[in-house]
Amino acid sequence: MEIQRSKEIVYPAGKPKAREAMRKTLDLFDGKNWGGRLEIFSDIPIAKGMASSTADIAAASLATALALGKEVAPDHISSIALSIEPTDGIMYEGIVLYDHLKRGLVEKLGLSPPVSIIILEPEERLETMVYNNGRPAYGEVEELLFERAVEIIRKGLKERDGQAIGQVATMSATINQKYLAKPLFEPVLNLAQVRGALGVNVAHSGTVMGILCDPEKTETAELLTDLYHLLPPGVKVRWKKLVGGGARVGW
């Protein structure tokens, strides 16, 4: 990141949202006559529903503020992100309840207990903005289920209960099958249940799935073997630890 006395912003190909975030952050700090050079290094898969654009936007905003000798609050990053596209609440610490279309932060829910995730990444992609522009609204039944899910996750995070996280993730993923079905949902869910996983989660505006695991209780080795036989060619499998959000300098 470099700040220059020029309105021009040089940015990586294919990253116009990050460029816009830099511009809006400069404007936030009265830097309308400033520009600069933006570089991005990320290994987050693009157009898979893993918040790659939100990560770019949050990082660009934070880096711009730092280059100006300023601090940018998560609320400001959230506002900038929402002004660019439907977004995610990863700019906030911990786990949050977040309106990805309009309101932004609704509630800070807490920190995650020890949970690992087996990520299933297919080759197919889905552009977030295209999907959200044509997506139907949830019905009354779905809204009631989500209200119940929020009650469960509040209690679960307070008690550091991984089972509650898995239950709510599975509820949400099941509802999403009506709106953006994952072809492997049923067989993956069955495997997760057989091998003692906490539950499954899905990208609601993307193509990835995940299996939430308790490192001490899930039959992880057996589950990975089962997935090897189940998954079609081209599906990548990654094993990661669940962490809370928050834009950070360094990692």
Side-chain angles (χ1 to χ4, degrees):
M1 167 70 68
E2 295 179 2
I3 301 297
Q4 301 169 351
R5 287 186 176 276
S6 166
K7 290 186 178 182
E8 180 184 8
I9 295 177
V10 179
Y11 62 98
K15 298 291 185 179
K17 298 170 188 175
R19 184 262 178 210
E20 191 171 353
M22 182 177 178
R23 178 76 272 155
K24 288 177 180 289
T25 306
L26 287 169
D27 293 348
L28 179 67
F29 295 109
D30 296 323
K32 295 181 180 180
N33 295 320
W34 291 76
R37 179 182 298 274
L38 175 66
E39 295 184 0
I40 295 177
F41 303 92
S42 175
D43 60 359
I44 303 175
I46 297 172
K48 300 292 182 72
M50 298 184 71
S52 60
S53 293
T54 304
D56 288 348
I57 290 168
S61 183
L62 179 62
T64 302
L66 288 172
L68 293 169
K70 306 288 187 178
E71 294 184 3
V72 60
D75 285 344
H76 287 136
I77 297 176
S78 174
S79 295
I80 288 170
L82 283 168
S83 72
I84 297 172
E85 68 167 1
T87 191
D88 187 283
I90 60 171
M91 65 287 295
Y92 291 98
E93 293 285 345
I95 296 175
V96 300
L97 183 63
Y98 192 86
D99 180 346
H100 70 291
L101 294 176
K102 295 179 180 178
R103 289 189 296 164
L105 180 67
V106 176
E107 180 182 346
K108 294 183 178 180
L109 296 173
L111 302 177
S112 171
V115 173
S116 57
I117 307 177
I118 299 174
I119 302 170
L120 311 179
E121 180 198 337
E123 295 178 313
E124 292 79 13
R125 298 187 175 197
L126 179 64
E127 177 56 46
T128 300
M129 293 188 71
V130 174
Y131 171 71
N132 278 288
N133 285 338
R135 182 191 173 284
Y138 288 122
E140 183 177 352
V141 173
E142 287 88 356
E143 294 287 356
L144 290 173
L145 287 171
F146 279 128
E147 289 180 12
R148 174 57 181 152
V150 171
E151 294 175 2
I152 296 171
I153 200 67
R154 281 197 190 105
K155 183 173 184 293
L157 289 174
K158 183 177 180 180
E159 298 175 356
R160 306 282 287 167
D161 181 7
Q163 291 286 349
I165 292 178
Q167 178 185 354
V168 169
T170 303
M171 288 173 63
S172 180
T174 303
I175 292 171
N176 196 61
Q177 279 297 96
K178 176 180 175 181
Y179 297 87
L180 183 60
K182 306 294 187 288
L184 293 171
F185 179 75
E186 291 295 341
V188 168
L189 177 58
N190 289 337
L191 282 183
Q193 293 170 338
V194 168
R195 295 303 182 186
L198 298 171
V200 299
N201 65 326
V202 301
H204 284 237
S205 58
T207 59
V208 296
M209 291 187 61
I211 303 175
L212 306 180
C213 304
D214 181 328
E216 296 183 357
K217 297 180 181 179
T218 304
E219 298 173 357
T220 307
E222 294 84 351
L223 177 54
L224 288 170
T225 300
D226 293 339
L227 288 171
Y228 174 80
H229 294 292
L230 170 69
L231 299 176
V235 178
K236 296 179 181 178
V237 179
R238 294 185 173 90
W239 192 359
K240 300 291 184 179
K241 178 183 176 182
L242 179 64
V243 298
R248 302 175 177 88
V249 180
W251 185 254

